[in-house]
Amino acid sequence: GTYNLSDVIVDGSNNNIGVDQYGVKNYSRVSATGNSNTVNVYQSNSGGNVSGHYSGATVLGSANTINVSQTGDGSKISFISVDGSLNNISNLQNGAGNKYSDIKAIGNGHTVILDQKDGGAHAARVEVTNIGGASNVNVLQQGTTNQSYLLQQQCATSSGCSVTITQQ
C-alpha cells in the first residue's frame, strides 16, 4: 500500500513480532514488555520521490532481540529504546541519503549494532547505560560524506565495554 501504518503492542514473553512494510510512506511502532521476545521490523520503499520510513521500538525486559531494517530511498528515522539486560539491538538503515537513528539501552550486557550505509546524510545518537555486565556497541555510517554521531556510554563493569565507530 501507499501510506502504511502499524502500531503493535505486546505484553508477554517468548513472542515473535514481525512487521513488514513496503511501498511509500511507512510508519511502524512496536511496544513489547517481557523476556525473550524477538522484534523484527522491515520497511522498504521505492515509491519515487518520497520521504517515507519511521520506526519506533520500545522494549522492556531481558534477553530480547530487536532488528530494524529500513532500506532504500530517502528519509528513514528510527527510535529504539530498551530497558533490561542481555538484549541484542540491530538497526540497519541503508542507501540513498537521509537517515537518523536514536538508540537508548539501559541495563546489563547489551549488544548494539547500527549500520547506516551509503548516500550520505547519516547522523546517529546512541546512549548505553550499563549497570553491571559489559556492553558492545558497533556503529558504521559509511559513504558519500555527511556523517555525524553522538555516543554516550556508561560502563560499570571491571571487564569493560567495547565501542567501535567507523565513518568513511
Side-chain angles (χ1 to χ4, degrees):
T2 49
Y3 292 110
N4 312 313
L5 170 65
S6 174
D7 196 353
V8 179
I9 300 169
V10 175
D11 188 2
S13 297
N14 301 306
N15 294 294
N16 289 316
I17 304 158
V19 175
D20 290 343
Q21 296 176 313
Y22 307 96
V24 184
K25 298 285 180 177
N26 309 314
Y27 171 92
S28 174
R29 187 174 65 186
V30 176
S31 177
T33 301
N35 301 316
S36 301
N37 292 307
T38 299
V39 175
N40 290 309
V41 175
Y42 175 81
Q43 297 174 313
S44 188
N45 227 312
S46 210
N49 186 15
V50 298
S51 60
H53 307 95
Y54 167 89
S55 179
T58 302
V59 177
L60 176 60
S62 297
N64 295 292
T65 299
I66 300 94
N67 298 308
V68 175
S69 179
Q70 301 172 291
T71 59
D73 300 323
S75 217
K76 303 162 201 72
I77 296 170
S78 181
F79 293 93
I80 300 172
S81 178
V82 176
D83 191 342
S85 296
L86 303 170
N87 293 296
N88 293 307
I89 302 163
S90 174
N91 186 12
L92 311 174
Q93 300 277 63
N94 221 327
N98 300 341
K99 294 154 194 79
Y100 170 79
S101 183
D102 188 304
I103 299 173
K104 182 176 184 177
I106 298 172
N108 300 321
H110 296 300
T111 297
V112 177
I113 298 170
L114 172 59
D115 186 351
Q116 295 205 286
K117 284 298 186 185
D118 301 314
H122 310 95
R125 181 182 179 278
V126 179
E127 181 180 338
V128 178
T129 302
N130 176 301
I131 48 180
S135 62
N136 299 304
V137 176
N138 188 335
V139 175
L140 169 68
Q141 296 225 243
Q142 220 136 16
T144 334
T145 322
N146 281 2
Q147 306 143 357
S148 79
Y149 74 92
L150 169 65
L151 171 66
Q152 295 178 328
Q153 184 176 33
Q154 295 176 8
C155 184
T157 179
S158 60
S159 61
C161 297
S162 73
V163 174
T164 303
I165 307 290
T166 305
Q167 296 191 107
Q168 299 174 339

